[in-house]
Amino acid sequence: MSREALRTPNFVADAAQFILQQARDALAERGEFRIALSGGNTPRPVYAELARLGHDLPWENVFITFGDERCVPPEDAQSNYRMARESLLVPAAVPERSVARMRGEIEPALAAQEYQDQLDMLATQRGEMIYRHDLILLGLGDDGHTASLFPGTAALEEQTQRVVANFVPKLNAWRLTFTYLLLSHARRILFLVKGDKHRELIESVLAGDQQYPAARVHTAGEISWLIGESA
């Protein structure tokens, strides 16, 4: 596994260009591009810029999943799907068949199993044991969580399931999330992080401090960090 940290004052533009390049490379090599989106506020402008720059992408050959989701309906303001739909899916006119939504509105364990089954089916169709993303986007919370892998939660120790429902005591809420096992099969992982907000935390995670879930992410492919910094 290789790891690189890229620091930039042009965070949104550089992030969108990075994703677009990964898409074009995958489409050229394999005829499809499989990307998992992250939620939160940081990627919203990145998705909007990606929609603008990627207007000529063959979105019918792109397959979009979500690394985690809140257990809310898709129209809820907290929904990662809603944020992605408003900023990327609608502006880029992404076909519905190119998007796999986590159903946050149903019972969490059922939603997680349903999503895992869907990814397993896609993997089987492609001759894979576990579905392999070309690119998984991740963020970094102020407690070191990434996706919905929060400190002290059961999902951190999951070794067989690829998608789980994870109860987060500090939020008193359930989340749906990819596990480390699924993350580890990605060809590439990209952390999108605002450097001015979490400077010390970022350095600790990059140094491999295992108390932070983000530091425990690994993959047979490559991990890149795009860190937005003030000019």
Side-chain angles (χ1 to χ4, degrees):
M1 179 184 75
S2 66
R3 186 191 305 268
E4 63 177 355
L6 310 169
R7 303 173 192 273
T8 175
N10 303 308
F11 177 76
V12 170
D14 287 350
Q17 286 287 2
F18 186 105
I19 297 167
L20 194 57
Q21 188 59 55
Q22 295 298 310
R24 288 175 172 154
D25 289 349
L27 287 163
E29 292 173 19
R30 292 177 292 278
E32 65 175 353
F33 176 52
R34 313 180 203 172
I35 180 173
L37 303 182
S38 60
N41 295 319
T42 299
R44 180 188 287 270
V46 175
Y47 296 162
E49 181 69 359
L50 179 61
R52 187 182 72 83
L53 295 176
H55 59 86
D56 61 340
L57 272 185
W59 289 102
E60 67 276 8
N61 295 327
V62 175
F63 194 70
I64 296 172
T65 58
F66 290 81
D68 74 318
E69 183 58 278
R70 280 107 169 180
C71 291
V72 296
E75 65 275 7
D76 191 283
Q78 295 298 308
S79 167
N80 289 341
Y81 170 77
R82 174 178 170 174
M83 184 274 285
R85 185 176 186 277
E86 293 174 347
S87 57
L88 173 61
L89 306 181
V90 170
V94 178
E96 286 189 17
R97 65 180 180 276
S98 291
V99 183
R101 178 178 73 83
M102 287 180 166
R103 292 209 294 159
E105 70 274 23
I106 65 174
E107 198 275 321
L110 178 60
Q113 186 64 55
E114 177 184 88
Y115 208 70
Q116 176 172 287
D117 290 346
Q118 185 173 3
L119 295 185
D120 286 352
M121 180 183 69
L122 292 169
T124 299
Q125 291 171 352
R126 290 159 172 79
E128 301 168 351
M129 292 293 293
I130 293 179
Y131 185 76
R132 191 174 193 195
H133 289 86
D134 294 304
L135 180 64
I136 295 179
L137 303 179
L138 294 174
L140 180 67
D142 57 13
D143 58 359
H145 83 264
T146 192
S148 281
L149 298 168
F150 284 81
T153 58
L156 300 184
E157 310 308 322
E158 180 57 55
Q159 297 184 23
T160 58
Q161 297 293 102
R162 279 77 72 199
V163 183
V164 297
N166 193 31
F167 185 71
V168 184
K170 66 179 283 186
L171 303 176
N172 191 32
W174 286 91
R175 294 285 186 90
L176 306 173
T177 187
F178 284 4
T179 64
Y180 289 125
L181 178 60
L182 185 54
L183 296 178
S184 72
H185 281 73
R187 288 188 172 90
R188 190 156 201 158
I189 289 173
L190 175 63
F191 281 87
L192 297 173
V193 182
K194 294 291 185 64
D196 296 337
K197 183 178 179 183
H198 299 310
R199 192 177 302 278
E200 292 184 6
L201 174 61
I202 291 169
E203 297 310 317
S204 294
V205 172
L206 287 174
D209 190 336
Q210 296 292 291
Q211 71 173 304
Y212 300 115
R216 295 171 59 179
V217 173
H218 69 280
T219 175
E222 300 178 4
I223 296 181
S224 299
W225 284 69
L226 191 64
I227 304 168
E229 297 188 338
S230 300

